[in-house]
């Protein structure tokens, strides 16, 4: 063993005993050998002849493959001849220079595949122009038996993989070469290749099935582009069917024959010819196999053949105009469909998606018929049975799905995705044959209802899922009227308690289905008690499975939203049934776990709020209801806050969790109360919420630095702003002060959103509050946001930078909200003046350079508004220095230089909107700043941009006119002209 062989063995070693340094040295050594391009190919051939090490053989073949691909065009003819003759000799078991002592063809599959790849690469470059006889030369050697025949098949397969098959993306050069190779094979030797396949299969079917399967696999690949008559004849088709129907043969060989028949069926051809082909095949010969075979792989192949056949028959029906031919197509379909249905209902298949797509196409075709015939109606019923069979869960996963472990979660996710196409098919069937679909769903539900066993959970879940999916295709009118069958189904649904209702999936789909059909209840109020019972008993919110209970809470809230005007008489009953659920929020829990209601329990409070917050609830009862809910919750918060700082770490965490839950519950409860009700109609209700706000603000005093609590209190203030209106003002200074005192940068975004809400809702009425809070906000933000911009680009943005980017975007929005709500005076109060320059510089930089076009637009709009506010009259100096800043900095840099930059893409829709804002800003500057702006803009800006005097004069005229559209159009053409003149040589910044 020489050094090269030793190095190759080290490279391929996977024992883990060789250190990385030695492997690296071995790789470097082998790479140095490769660098000697003058001798490397001959060295590889010699090693292939003499080495019995498969690692060395593979390395040599890989090196040869790489060299041919990279250097073929620069190789000497004699070297190419040496490689060609040597490789072909090895492939054909011929000696190389009378020295071939080792047989590579006796090696493992990965070595033989690599050898086939080397030969295929030579074919790529040389066939047929240089080496025209490569395939013809192969045929005499096939008589040597298994090894050469196997290699012949491998070469054909690799040629398909590497060059011919359209299953992989190809370059234009590869497509050209593939066409050249296929044309040459068709003209020269395709008949001999097909004859070889036939001889191989005929000769070896009883003593080497693996070799036969390999030959058939090659044939399958080539059928799509060779003359179909070479295969569809009295010799080959009977042979293929003989193999398929021979139960004594292996499933792998029978499967290979089936896949060849599928390739024949799928061959692209003129529709009439295809129809004749399908008729002559007599595919019915394989129908019995679907019932006889239990092997999943063979059944999958049979299913693919039957589906492919059905797809082609359906295409013939669509493409042929002759009524006779259409009739033949439909007969073929009628013949094959029962077997397709049988396989779908009884086996798990890899190509289920393709079958479902075919069935969708078939049903869509039925839409063009008048009344469906008996056979078609039967097929529609069979399709519904297929859908029902496929959407049912496998009972073996029942426990996993119940506890929702990793396996259960994966199975549920898989089934959700898998069902999508099936439910689309269901809706298509429902449109084509509504009566049959409705009857099928009714019977499925009736069958599920009639069972007294818990063991049919999957059947019940499937029947309910069908009913749920059907609702998606029903119009609102159909839903409300309950058209015939629907009222019966809904009544069955509401009145049934399935034995398997404890099953999580059954309970969930039951509640989802009731929710989907609740629109029917709106016009059929007699069913309301049954709906409420479904949600309030052990089928819903009181279900033993916490996941079902939580989902039921959310769905109940949605139902209440839809039905609340009809639920006035049921409020007492509902509150009574929810008493234990509501009480969970006020139960002190000694552990740090959140109480069992979790956040989803808040949907119950939202539902209650929607009910008791209605104006037609009597005032006394409304006060009693609300007080009975708010009082214990507030009392609980006050109790938890007493001596909170003296608690242990575990006790403090438990208190924080419960307070969070209570705040969210009160927040959800308040959503049902309108501002008009609590401030105008029934101020006593408003007083209760104010008292609650007083209590909850104490949380910020006791726990000033607990971010989750601060977030929840902020959210509640949002709610109270909407609910209490201006009467919330007295509480805002203290609340905002406490929130700002200990605020972290990541919290500042939420704080700005709260301020934006206040400004948007109350405008100038919150001027004093905003003026008081703005200096603190500006100080916090400018202390964390770099003045020279935030880093960007790959690898530069981490979580901290993302938070700062989000904060910066929130700041732009905040500044925009201030200026557009007549509050620009906030920037120039004595306390805020120190931050005016940083604000202006940030806005200027961002209006010119920010990567987000929408941010740039907002900044331009801010400046436009400030000009109007602070420069009401020409030459007025309301804010010292602002006029000059706008003329010299904003006017030149944003309105001219930034749009001249080639990164300013005028063809982009958002950028073009920004351009319009920039033009508008110029117009406003001229109106408010007069000739000072125009003279400076033209003399300095246009001069630096080398703008011709005549264009500058035209700009001045357009700016002084009244047609903003004409100004925008002219300025766009001006910018494009100036860009052409710069020719990329002038960069403005």
């Amino acid at each position: 063993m020489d050094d090269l062989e030793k190095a190759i063995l080290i490279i391929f070693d996977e024992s883990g005993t060789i250190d990385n340094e030695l492997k690296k040295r071995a790789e470097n050594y082998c790479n140095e050998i490769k660098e000697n391009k003058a001798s490397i190919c001959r060295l590889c051939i010699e090693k292939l002849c003499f080495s019995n090490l498969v690692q060395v053989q593979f390395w040599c073949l890989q090196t040869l493959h790489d060299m041919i691909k990279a250097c073929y065009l620069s190789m000497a003819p004699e070297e190419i001849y040496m490689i060609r003759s040597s490789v072909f000799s090895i492939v054909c078991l011929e000696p190389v220079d009378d020295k071939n002592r080792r047989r590579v063809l006796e090696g493992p599959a990965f070595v033989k595949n690599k050898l086939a790849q080397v030969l295929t690469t030579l074919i790529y470059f040389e066939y047929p122009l240089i080496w025209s006889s490569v395939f013809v030369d192969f045929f005499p050697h096939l008589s040597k038996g298994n090894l050469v025949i196997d290699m012949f098949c491998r070469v054909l397969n690799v040629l398909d993989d590497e060059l011919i098959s359209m299953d992989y993306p190809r370059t234009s050069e590869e497509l050209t070469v593939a066409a050249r190779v296929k044309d040459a094979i068709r003209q020269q030797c395709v008949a001999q290749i097909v004859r070889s396949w036939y001889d191989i299969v005929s000769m070896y079917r009883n003593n080497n099935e693996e070799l036969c399967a390999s030959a058939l696999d090659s044939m399958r690949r080539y059928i799509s582009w060779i003359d179909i008559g070479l295969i569809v004849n009295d010799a080959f088709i009977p042979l293929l069917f003989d193999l398929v129907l021979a139960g004594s043969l292996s499933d792998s060989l029978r499967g290979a024959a089936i896949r060849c028949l599928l390739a024949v069926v799928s061959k692209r051809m003129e529709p009439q010819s295809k129809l004749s082909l399908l008729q002559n095949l007599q595919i019915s010969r394989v129908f019995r196999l679907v019932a006889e075979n239990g092997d999943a792989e063979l059944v999958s192949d049979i299913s693919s053949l039957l589906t492919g056949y059905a797809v082609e028959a359906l295409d013939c029906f669509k493409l042929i105009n002759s009524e006779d031919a259409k009739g033949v197509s439909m007969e073929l379909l009628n013949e094959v469909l029962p077997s397709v249905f049988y396989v779908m209902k009884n086996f798990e298949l890899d190509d289920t998606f393709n079958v479902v797509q075919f069935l969708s196409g078939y049903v869509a075709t039925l839409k063009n018929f008048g009344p469906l015939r008996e056979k078609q109606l039967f097929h529609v019923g069979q399709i519904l049975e297929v859908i029902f069979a496929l959407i049912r869960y496998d009972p073996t996963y029942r426990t996993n799905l119940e506890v929702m472990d990793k396996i259960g979660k994966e199975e549920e996710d898989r089934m959700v995705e898998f069902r999508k196409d099936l439910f689309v098919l269901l809706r298509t069937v429902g449109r084509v044959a509504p009566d049959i679909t409705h009857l099928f769903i009714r019977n499925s539900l009736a069958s599920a209802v009639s069972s007294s066993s818990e063991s049919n959970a999957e059947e019940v879940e499937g029947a309910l899922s069908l009913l749920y999916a059907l609702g998606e295709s029903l119009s609102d009118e159909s839903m409300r009227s309950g058209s015939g069958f629907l009222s019966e189904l809904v009544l069955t649904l509401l009145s049934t308690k399935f034995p398997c209702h404890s099953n999580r999936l059954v309970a969930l789909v039951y509640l989802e289905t009731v929710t989907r059909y609740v629109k029917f209840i709106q016009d059929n109020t007699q069913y309301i008690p049954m709906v409420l019972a479904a949600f309030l008993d052990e089928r819903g919110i009181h279900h033993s499975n916490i996941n079902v209970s939580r989902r039921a809470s959310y769905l109940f809230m949605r139902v209440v939203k839809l039905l609340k005007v009809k639920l006035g008489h049921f409020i007492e009953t509902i509150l009574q049934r929810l008493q234990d659920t509501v009480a969970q929020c006020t139960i002190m829990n000694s552990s740090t776990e959140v109480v069992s209601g979790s956040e989803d329990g808040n949907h119950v409070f939202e539902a209650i709020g929607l009910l008791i917050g209605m104006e037609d609830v009597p005032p006394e009862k409304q006060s009693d209801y609300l007080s009975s809910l708010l009082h214990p919750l507030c009392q609980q918060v006050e109790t938890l806050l007493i001596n909170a700082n003296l608690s242990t770490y575990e006790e403090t965490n438990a208190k924080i969790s419960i307070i969070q839950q209570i705040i969210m519950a009160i927040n959800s409860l308040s959503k049902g109360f309108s501002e008009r009700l609590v401030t105008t109609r029934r101020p006593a209700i408003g007083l209760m919420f104010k008292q609650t706000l007083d209590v909850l603000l104490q949380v910020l005093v006791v726990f000033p630095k607990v971010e989750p609590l601060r977030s929840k209190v902020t959210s509640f203030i949002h709610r109270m702003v909407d609910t209490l209106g201006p009467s919330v003002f007295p509480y805002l200074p203290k609340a905002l002060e406490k929130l700002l005192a200990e605020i972290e940068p990541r919290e500042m975004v939420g704080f700005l959103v709260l301020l934006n809400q206040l400004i948007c809702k109350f405008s100038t009425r919150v001027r004093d509050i905003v003026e008081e809070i703005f200096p603190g906000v500006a100080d916090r933000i400018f202390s964390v946001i770099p003045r020279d911009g935030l880093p960007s680009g790959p690898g530069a943005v981490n979580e901290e930078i993302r938070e700062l980017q989000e904060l910066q975007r929130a700041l732009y929005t905040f500044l925009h909200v201030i200026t557009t709500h007549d509050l620009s005076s906030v920037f120039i109060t004595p306390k805020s003046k120190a931050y005016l320059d940083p604000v202006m510089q940030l806005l200027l930089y961002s209006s010119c350079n920010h990567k987000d076009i929408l941010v740039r637009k907002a900044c331009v709009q801010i400046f436009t508004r400030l000009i109007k506010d602070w420069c009401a009259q020409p030459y007025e100096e309301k804010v010292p220095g602002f006029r000059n800043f706008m003329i010299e900095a904003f006017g030149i840099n944003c309105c001219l230089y930034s749009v001249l930059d080639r990164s300013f893409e005028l063809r982009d829709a958002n950028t073009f909107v920004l351009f319009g804002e920039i033009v508008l800003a110029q117009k406003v500057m001229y109106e408010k700043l007069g000739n000072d702006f125009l003279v400076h803009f033209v003399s300095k800006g246009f001069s630096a941009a080398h703008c011709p005097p005549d264009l500058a004069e035209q700009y001045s005229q357009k700016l002084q006119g009244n047609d903003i559209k004409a100004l925008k159009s002219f300025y766009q053409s001006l910018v494009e002209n100036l860009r052409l003149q710069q020719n990329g040589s002038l960069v403005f910044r």
Side-chain angles (χ1 to χ4, degrees):
M1 190 186 301
D2 60 22
D3 289 343
L4 176 60
E5 291 176 330
K6 290 177 184 176
I8 292 170
L9 290 178
I10 290 170
I11 290 172
F12 284 100
D13 184 87
E14 295 180 354
S15 66
T17 58
I18 296 177
D19 66 62
N20 291 334
E21 183 58 36
L22 182 57
K23 275 202 170 189
K24 191 68 179 172
R25 282 165 50 202
E27 286 177 11
N28 291 338
Y29 178 76
C30 290
N31 289 334
E32 287 173 11
I33 298 288
K34 284 184 184 180
E35 289 302 314
N36 188 352
K37 292 183 171 56
S39 62
I40 184 61
C41 291
R42 185 167 294 279
L43 175 64
C44 287
I45 297 294
E46 288 177 5
K47 290 292 180 189
L48 285 171
C49 291
F50 292 105
S51 178
N52 62 351
L53 299 169
V54 294
Q55 296 94 326
V56 173
Q57 292 173 358
F58 183 83
W59 184 89
C60 291
L61 288 168
Q62 180 65 59
T63 301
L64 275 175
H65 178 251
D66 293 343
M67 289 298 297
I68 296 169
K69 282 189 72 173
C71 306
Y72 178 87
L73 297 176
S74 60
M75 284 182 177
E78 56 272 19
E79 183 178 17
I80 294 173
Y81 176 78
M82 183 272 298
I83 296 171
R84 179 196 311 136
S85 58
S86 301
V87 168
F88 194 70
S89 294
I90 293 171
V91 165
C92 295
L93 280 180
E94 292 287 295
V96 179
D97 297 332
D98 300 321
K99 299 176 183 177
N100 189 14
R101 300 176 188 172
R102 305 305 312 172
R103 288 187 169 186
V104 176
L105 269 59
E106 293 176 344
F110 68 88
V111 171
K112 290 186 281 189
N113 286 338
K114 185 56 67 174
L115 175 60
Q117 196 176 33
V118 173
L119 184 59
T120 299
T121 309
L122 287 168
I123 291 171
Y124 179 96
F125 286 108
E126 299 194 338
Y127 181 77
L129 303 178
I130 298 171
W131 189 11
S132 61
S133 63
V134 55
F135 295 106
V136 175
D137 292 344
F138 229 127
F139 299 132
H141 296 283
L142 297 179
S143 61
K144 293 177 181 177
N146 300 10
L147 293 178
V148 178
I149 291 172
D150 174 69
M151 205 62 223
F152 175 65
C153 295
R154 287 180 192 274
V155 170
L156 292 176
N157 290 352
V158 171
L159 183 63
D160 181 65
D161 284 337
E162 298 279 311
L163 182 62
I164 296 173
S165 172
M166 289 294 102
D167 292 340
Y168 311 99
R170 305 293 187 195
T171 65
S172 58
E173 180 189 345
E174 287 171 335
L175 291 173
T176 302
V177 174
R180 186 189 74 209
V181 168
K182 288 193 293 185
D183 287 344
I185 290 175
R186 279 190 285 245
Q187 292 170 15
Q188 182 194 43
C189 57
V190 67
Q192 291 168 278
I193 292 175
V194 173
R195 181 71 202 189
S196 299
W197 287 327
Y198 183 85
D199 290 342
I200 292 165
V201 175
S202 300
M203 186 180 303
Y204 289 94
R205 58 181 292 183
N206 294 318
N207 53 34
N208 195 332
E209 293 186 1
E210 186 178 348
L211 194 64
C212 290
S214 180
L216 290 174
D217 184 45
S218 297
M219 187 173 88
R220 171 189 62 80
R221 294 162 176 263
Y222 285 67
I223 286 173
S224 65
W225 56 270
I226 65 176
D227 178 7
I228 195 63
L230 293 168
I231 307 296
V232 180
N233 51 49
D234 293 339
F236 235 128
I237 292 299
L239 175 62
L240 290 175
F241 274 104
D242 195 23
L243 295 172
V244 171
L245 299 173
S248 60
L249 297 178
S250 68
D251 286 343
S252 62
L253 177 54
R254 296 171 76 190
I258 291 169
R259 290 190 289 276
C260 285
L261 286 172
L262 176 58
V264 169
V265 165
S266 306
K267 171 89 171 172
R268 292 177 61 183
M269 59 178 70
E270 187 266 332
Q272 189 63 56
S273 301
K274 172 61 69 71
L275 186 59
S276 299
L277 170 65
L278 297 179
Q279 278 183 287
N280 295 332
L281 274 181
Q282 300 173 35
I283 203 75
S284 58
R285 286 178 278 179
V286 303
F287 291 169
R288 64 178 175 82
L289 295 180
V290 298
E292 293 176 1
N293 282 278
D295 182 84
E297 189 171 340
L298 187 63
V299 171
S300 184
D301 284 328
I302 295 170
S303 170
S304 296
L305 173 59
L306 297 178
T307 305
Y309 181 91
V311 166
E312 297 298 327
L314 181 62
D315 282 347
C316 289
F317 178 85
K318 292 177 182 176
L319 297 172
I320 296 177
N321 293 323
S322 161
E323 287 303 316
D324 289 343
K326 280 185 177 291
V328 172
S329 303
M330 195 52 67
E331 283 176 19
L332 296 179
L333 272 172
N334 292 337
E335 185 183 36
V336 74
L337 278 172
S339 296
V340 173
F341 296 144
Y342 180 85
V343 173
M344 290 291 284
K345 286 189 281 186
N346 292 281
F347 298 94
E348 285 190 22
L349 304 173
D350 293 334
D351 67 339
T352 297
F353 173 78
N354 293 329
V355 183
V356 172
Q357 293 300 107
F358 157 70
L359 293 177
S360 296
Y362 173 69
V363 175
T365 302
L366 296 182
K367 286 191 293 188
N368 300 321
F369 285 73
L372 298 184
R373 297 170 192 155
E374 184 178 348
K375 181 76 75 174
Q376 292 159 346
L377 290 171
F378 175 75
H379 288 160
V380 167
Q382 290 291 296
I383 292 171
L384 290 168
E385 288 189 15
V386 166
I387 294 170
F388 191 33
L390 292 178
I391 65 169
R392 294 207 289 270
Y393 280 91
D394 186 337
T396 57
Y397 291 106
R398 188 181 296 171
T399 302
N400 304 102
L401 288 160
E402 191 64 24
V403 299
M404 278 300 282
D405 58 14
K406 184 173 182 291
I407 295 173
K409 184 74 172 71
E410 288 174 355
E411 176 63 10
E412 186 168 14
D413 290 344
R414 184 196 69 80
M415 189 60 105
V416 167
E417 193 62 33
F418 177 70
R419 284 175 163 185
K420 288 179 181 176
D421 292 312
L422 290 165
F423 286 148
V424 170
L425 176 58
L426 175 69
R427 291 193 291 273
T428 307
V429 174
R431 284 191 290 270
V432 172
D435 293 341
I436 290 181
T437 306
H438 299 161
L439 181 63
F440 182 83
I441 293 174
R442 186 178 70 182
N443 291 342
S444 301
L445 191 61
S447 173
V449 169
S450 64
S451 173
S452 59
S453 168
E454 293 189 22
S455 64
N456 71 331
E458 289 74 27
E459 182 188 350
V460 172
E461 195 277 340
L464 290 169
S465 295
L466 287 178
L467 180 55
Y468 175 82
L470 178 70
E472 193 169 325
S473 60
L474 296 177
S475 65
D476 282 356
E477 180 55 39
S478 299
M479 195 82 83
R480 286 198 172 91
S481 66
S483 55
F485 84 104
L486 187 58
S487 57
E488 179 189 341
L489 285 177
V490 173
L491 179 59
T492 302
L493 182 70
L494 294 174
S495 59
T496 303
K497 292 187 178 180
F498 300 100
C500 56
H501 223 120
S502 60
N503 180 280
R504 182 182 69 86
L505 289 176
V506 170
L508 286 173
V509 73
Y510 177 83
L511 294 169
E512 297 282 359
T513 307
V514 171
T515 304
R516 168 152 282 181
Y517 289 98
V518 79
K519 286 180 181 174
F520 170 73
I521 312 299
Q522 286 178 310
D523 290 345
N524 296 271
T525 54
Q526 68 271 25
Y527 297 126
I528 285 178
M530 300 171 76
V531 173
L532 295 177
F535 282 99
L536 299 177
D537 64 20
E538 67 281 356
R539 289 173 289 174
I541 291 171
H542 290 93
H543 197 281
S544 57
N545 186 305
I546 186 64
N547 294 306
V548 175
S549 172
R550 291 174 179 174
R551 184 65 180 169
S553 298
Y554 168 72
L555 294 174
F556 178 63
M557 179 269 294
R558 282 178 49 192
V559 168
V560 168
K561 275 187 176 179
L562 283 169
L563 296 179
K564 68 176 184 176
V565 295
K566 309 283 177 69
L567 296 178
H569 298 304
F570 300 96
I571 293 177
E572 298 273 3
T573 305
I574 293 169
L575 292 177
Q576 192 173 4
R577 297 296 301 276
L578 292 175
Q579 202 166 8
D580 57 340
T581 306
V582 169
Q584 289 176 2
C585 273
T586 63
I587 296 172
M588 184 69 174
N589 199 327
S590 58
S591 73
T592 55
E593 293 278 326
V594 177
V595 285
S596 61
S598 184
E599 286 200 26
D600 295 84
N602 298 317
H603 295 306
V604 169
F605 280 91
E606 185 171 350
I608 292 172
L610 289 166
L611 287 171
I612 68 174
M614 293 189 292
E615 291 195 12
D616 50 1
V617 176
E620 302 78 14
K621 279 190 172 293
Q622 194 171 54
S623 293
D624 289 345
Y625 293 149
L626 186 59
S627 177
S628 67
L629 291 160
L630 287 181
H631 182 68
L633 293 173
C634 290
Q635 196 172 46
Q636 184 71 21
V637 171
E638 290 174 325
T639 302
L640 292 168
L641 292 178
I642 295 171
N643 296 324
N645 294 326
L646 301 178
S647 305
T648 64
Y649 176 79
E650 290 77 11
E651 289 171 341
T652 299
N653 279 349
K655 289 181 177 183
I656 288 170
S657 295
I658 297 170
I659 293 171
Q660 270 185 260
Q661 181 64 23
I662 291 173
I663 296 172
M664 290 188 293
I666 297 173
N667 198 347
S668 297
L669 183 67
S670 68
K671 291 179 182 178
F673 293 84
S674 68
E675 181 181 339
R676 189 172 85 102
L677 178 81
V678 304
T679 58
T680 307
R681 300 290 303 277
R682 297 173 188 176
I685 299 294
L687 181 60
M688 285 191 217
F689 281 118
K690 290 175 189 175
Q691 290 167 343
T692 303
L693 181 56
D694 252 337
V695 172
L696 297 187
L697 289 179
Q698 291 305 308
V699 173
L700 298 177
V701 177
V702 178
F703 295 109
K705 296 185 179 181
V706 179
E707 191 174 322
L709 282 179
R710 293 162 55 82
S711 171
K712 297 298 181 289
V713 172
T714 302
S715 180
F716 185 64
I717 295 170
H718 275 293
R719 283 291 329 137
M720 290 301 98
V721 169
D722 280 338
T723 305
L724 296 174
S727 63
V728 79
F729 284 2
Y731 300 89
L732 292 177
K734 175 185 174 183
L736 296 174
E737 178 190 347
K738 290 294 181 186
L739 287 171
L740 190 60
E742 302 290 346
I743 203 160
E744 295 291 330
R746 61 178 172 272
E747 294 179 274
M748 183 60 81
V749 174
F751 188 75
L752 293 178
V753 171
L754 175 59
L755 293 176
N756 289 343
Q757 182 198 18
L758 289 170
I759 296 169
C760 291
K761 185 172 178 67
F762 302 116
S763 194
T764 54
R765 287 185 286 176
V766 289
R767 184 189 303 276
D768 293 343
I769 293 173
V770 179
E771 286 182 353
E772 185 63 32
I773 204 75
F774 181 78
V777 172
D779 185 67
R780 296 288 198 290
I781 293 175
F782 285 114
S783 67
V784 295
I785 291 181
R787 300 295 175 90
D788 53 352
L790 294 167
S792 61
V797 180
N798 54 30
E799 189 59 35
E800 182 183 358
I801 297 300
R802 271 191 288 273
E803 286 179 359
L804 291 177
Q805 287 174 340
E806 187 181 2
L807 174 57
Q808 192 181 61
R809 282 192 292 271
L811 174 61
Y812 295 128
T813 303
F814 178 52
L815 297 174
H816 190 269
V817 168
I818 288 175
T819 52
T820 54
H821 287 80
D822 299 315
L823 290 173
S824 59
S825 60
V826 166
F827 300 136
I828 53 177
T829 63
K831 289 182 181 179
S832 299
K833 275 191 173 179
Y835 303 101
L836 181 59
D837 185 60
V839 167
M840 293 297 110
Q841 294 300 334
L842 176 67
L843 290 173
L844 175 63
Y845 178 83
S846 301
S847 66
C848 298
N849 304 291
H850 204 285
K851 293 193 182 324
D852 188 334
I853 294 298
L854 298 179
V855 168
R856 289 173 71 170
K857 183 182 79 169
C859 293
V860 173
Q861 289 173 333
I862 291 170
F863 277 128
T864 303
R865 186 59 186 251
L866 291 178
I867 295 167
K868 293 178 179 178
D869 288 353
W870 293 348
C871 306
Q873 300 295 328
Y875 313 110
E876 180 186 11
E877 190 79 342
K878 187 173 182 180
V879 180
F882 180 71
R883 283 174 55 83
N884 287 339
F885 176 78
M886 295 308 296
I887 292 170
E888 297 173 8
F890 175 75
I892 297 293
N893 289 292
C894 178
C895 297
L896 182 59
Y897 293 170
S898 79
V899 297
L900 285 175
D901 193 299
R902 293 188 182 277
S903 66
F904 195 93
E905 182 52 74
L906 282 163
R907 285 173 294 183
D908 173 72
N910 285 330
T911 307
F912 193 67
V913 173
L914 167 61
F915 182 76
E917 293 293 339
I918 288 173
V919 172
L920 178 62
Q922 294 171 61
K923 184 68 176 172
V924 172
M925 279 194 284
Y926 175 72
E927 290 172 354
K928 300 298 182 183
L929 307 177
N931 283 326
D932 287 355
F933 160 70
L934 180 55
V935 170
H936 188 273
F937 193 72
V938 171
S939 63
K940 183 174 181 184
F942 281 176
S943 174
H946 309 300
C947 178
D950 60 319
L951 292 180
E953 178 59 33
Q954 287 183 57
Y955 169 80
S956 299
Q957 292 173 2
K958 297 287 185 186
L959 185 66
Q960 294 172 66
N962 295 319
D963 191 341
I964 189 72
K965 286 185 179 179
L967 172 62
K968 181 179 176 181
S969 177
F970 173 79
Y971 196 57
Q972 181 181 350
S973 65
L974 174 61
V975 166
E976 289 166 348
N977 272 326
L978 293 179
R979 282 183 181 180
L980 289 173
Q981 290 181 31
Q982 292 164 30
N983 197 26
S985 63
L986 182 60
V987 177
F988 290 111
R989 277 294 172 268

